[in-house]
């Protein structure tokens, strides 16, 4: 077996037994990147030299008998996560040559653990998008069909795992950006509960929903990575300590699964619905109880998300003024011209659209009508989800309304692109954990199912996800590339 195809768990066993070295594993992943990334275009920066050095250090530690879950395991990080000394562009011209002066907390934790950073991956500029086409570099291609998008905005990270360029990757999810590309690329993507993993050192998009998380080959691996990156961080006041006090269930017969009817209606491709229902049927056959529920506020999630998100974006991106960060234009002119020229040149079209929308929804005359109203609806969406999740252990839905679409097919229609988030934005607005797991294929393209849990109850998602992966083999399938 080619080593780059290993899961974290498999690689760990082989490393600990001395059957392979981290150096070889890292080298093979780097070779794989070199071989196929011309086609997939998942990586922006490759840290070959640093990675090989880190791998050697990891091998020494392993030889000395040191043990930790990710010691010597090569991974890729989305390029909106700061990595000290390595370029972090957020796929924006504004940060084309920006070298991060410090590591994000999650990168620091992975470093302490001995994980090996291979590369930084492509995304939609500042994570604004659902297809990885809004990158200042180039679009990423889906390894299952190179004419199609990998989903977004963590499209590079998902494509890299699907194409076995790394053992796992990191993404960020604000309104679906880990789950949607994981679904389109046939891999596992976890959006943790808001606050479970630190946002310190992520380039902010929507501070009230941003959260980093793992993209992996199996649910087991997602749990391993989460175990390392989660936890309270003094640099992020919204982080919480994880207490596993919830009594978790392991026996499928004890699980009660809720099926929200609004996630299975005409918005969603009939074939996707059939596959996800079939997957739920597999769990039911093993003894899970399945009940239909209703979440009538679902229709408001995308409109609410697209008021709150641009509002926070317009505020967060105000720091990019050409003075403190990134490209500066209009030097020598007056200050306002420097701002205008720098922001005019540095930001792409979608980013500008969101800044304009957000400036409007926060403006003196419209704030109450838009932003405050959206916050009230958000509370309703959250209450409704929390209420249903008291009655069931988890909800299962499709991740996306269809399989990966063609590159360019939706690029000129922002509203159509926003509707990609229709099944994933609810858990983001409510701060709930949700995982996308491959559950089938339509015409050779993967389909993901989303499992949503109550706040800080990721364990339920891992348990039911593991059970599903034990009885099916969708997670083992890989694209032919
Ligand atoms: N598609 C969503 C958006 O464009 C999700 C982005 C994200 O999660 N980073 O806002």
């Amino acid at each position: 077996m080619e080593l780059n195809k290993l899961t974290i768990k498999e690689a760990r066993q082989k490393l600990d037994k001395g059957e392979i070295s981290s150096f070889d594993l890292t080298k093979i992943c780097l070779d794989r990147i070199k071989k196929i990334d011309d086609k997939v275009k998942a990586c922006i920066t490759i840290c070959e030299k640093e990675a090989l050095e880190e791998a050697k250090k990891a091998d020494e530690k392993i030889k000395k008998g040191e043990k930790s879950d990710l010691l010597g395991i090569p991974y890729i990080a989305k390029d909106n996560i700061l990595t000290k000394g390595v370029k972090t562009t957020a796929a924006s011209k504004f940060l084309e040559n920006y070298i991060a002066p410090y590591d994000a907390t999650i990168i620091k934790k992975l470093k302490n653990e001995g994980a090996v950073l291979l590369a930084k991956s492509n995304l939609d500029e500042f994570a604004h998008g659902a297809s990885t086409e809004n990158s200042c570099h180039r679009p990423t291609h889906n390894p299952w069909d190179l004419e199609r998008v990998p989903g977004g905005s963590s499209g590079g990270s998902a494509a890299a795992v699907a194409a076995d360029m790394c053992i796992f990757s990191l993404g960020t999810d604000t309104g679906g950006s880990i789950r949607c590309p994981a679904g389109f690329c046939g891999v596992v993507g976890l959006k943790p509960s808001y606050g479970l993993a630190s946002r310190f050192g992520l380039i902010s998009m929507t501070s009230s929903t941003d959260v980093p998380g793992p993209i992996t080959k199996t649910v087991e691996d997602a749990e391993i990575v989460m175990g390392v990156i989660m936890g309270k961080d003094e640099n992020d006041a919204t982080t919480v300590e994880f207490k596993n006090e919830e009594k978790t269930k392991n026996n499928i017969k004890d699980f009660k699964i809720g099926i929200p009817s609004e996630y299975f209606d005409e918005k969603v491709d009939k074939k996707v619905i059939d596959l996800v229902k079939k997957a739920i049927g597999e769990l039911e056959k093993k003894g899970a109880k399945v009940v239909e529920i209703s979440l009538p506020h679902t229709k408001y999630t995308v409109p609410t998300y697209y008021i709150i998100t641009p509002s926070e974006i317009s505020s967060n991106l105000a720091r990019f003024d050409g003075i403190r960060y990134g490209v500066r234009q209009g030097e020598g002119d007056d200050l306002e011209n420097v701002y205008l020229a720098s922001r005019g040149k540095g930001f792409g079209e979608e980013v500008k659209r969101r800044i304009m929308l957000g400036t409007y929804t926060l403006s003196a005359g419209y704030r109450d009508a838009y932003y405050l109203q959206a916050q009230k609806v958000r509370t309703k969406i959250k209450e409704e989800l929390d209420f249903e999740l008291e009655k069931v252990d988890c909800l299962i839905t499709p991740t996306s309304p269809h399989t990966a679409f063609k590159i360019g097919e939706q690029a000129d229609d922002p509203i159509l692109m926003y509707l990609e988030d229709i099944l994933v934005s609810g858990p983001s607005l409510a701060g709930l954990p949700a995982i996308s797991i491959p559950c089938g294929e339509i015409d050779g393209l993967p389909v993901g199912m989303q499992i949503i849990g109550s706040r800080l109850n990721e364990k339920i998602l891992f348990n039911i996800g593991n059970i599903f992966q034990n009885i099916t083999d969708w997670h083992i399938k890989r694209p032919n590339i």
Side-chain angles (χ1 to χ4, degrees), residues 78 80 124 126-131 134 152-154 172-180 205-206 210 305-306 309 313 350 354 417-418 420-421 424 428:
K78 187 177 180 181
N80 61 347
D124 290 296
F126 289 111
H128 304 173
S131 67
N134 299 336
S153 63
S154 313
T172 60
D173 193 311
T174 301
S177 277
I178 288 178
R179 290 160 285 159
C180 156
M205 177 178 166
T206 307
D210 287 345
Y305 174 83
Y306 278 99
T309 276
I313 285 171
E350 179 59 27
R354 292 187 188 210
M417 203 61 104
Y418 296 169
E420 286 301 313
D421 307 337
V424 281
S428 291

Side-chain angles (χ1 to χ4, degrees), residues 345-419:
K345 176 114 195 260
F347 291 139
E349 206 177 306
E350 179 59 27
V351 174
K352 284 182 188 156
R353 181 179 297 120
R354 292 187 188 210
I355 293 173
M356 286 191 285
L357 273 171
T359 314
Y360 180 79
T361 52
L362 290 178
S363 61
Y366 294 97
R367 187 183 137 91
D368 291 10
Y370 290 99
Y371 181 69
L372 289 183
Q373 187 64 16
Q375 288 291 26
K376 287 180 194 160
V377 181
R378 176 187 192 166
T379 302
K380 288 277 172 219
I381 293 167
K382 179 180 179 313
E383 284 172 354
E384 183 175 275
L385 277 159
D386 287 347
F387 181 75
E388 292 303 329
L389 280 160
E390 294 249 311
K391 297 190 280 187
V392 295
D393 296 300
C394 63
L395 307 175
I396 299 190
T397 76
T399 303
S400 293
H402 42 236
T403 51
F405 47 91
K406 289 231 165 98
I407 292 177
E409 199 178 326
Q410 298 188 181
D412 297 330
D413 190 339
I415 303 279
L416 204 57
M417 203 61 104
Y418 296 169
L419 288 171

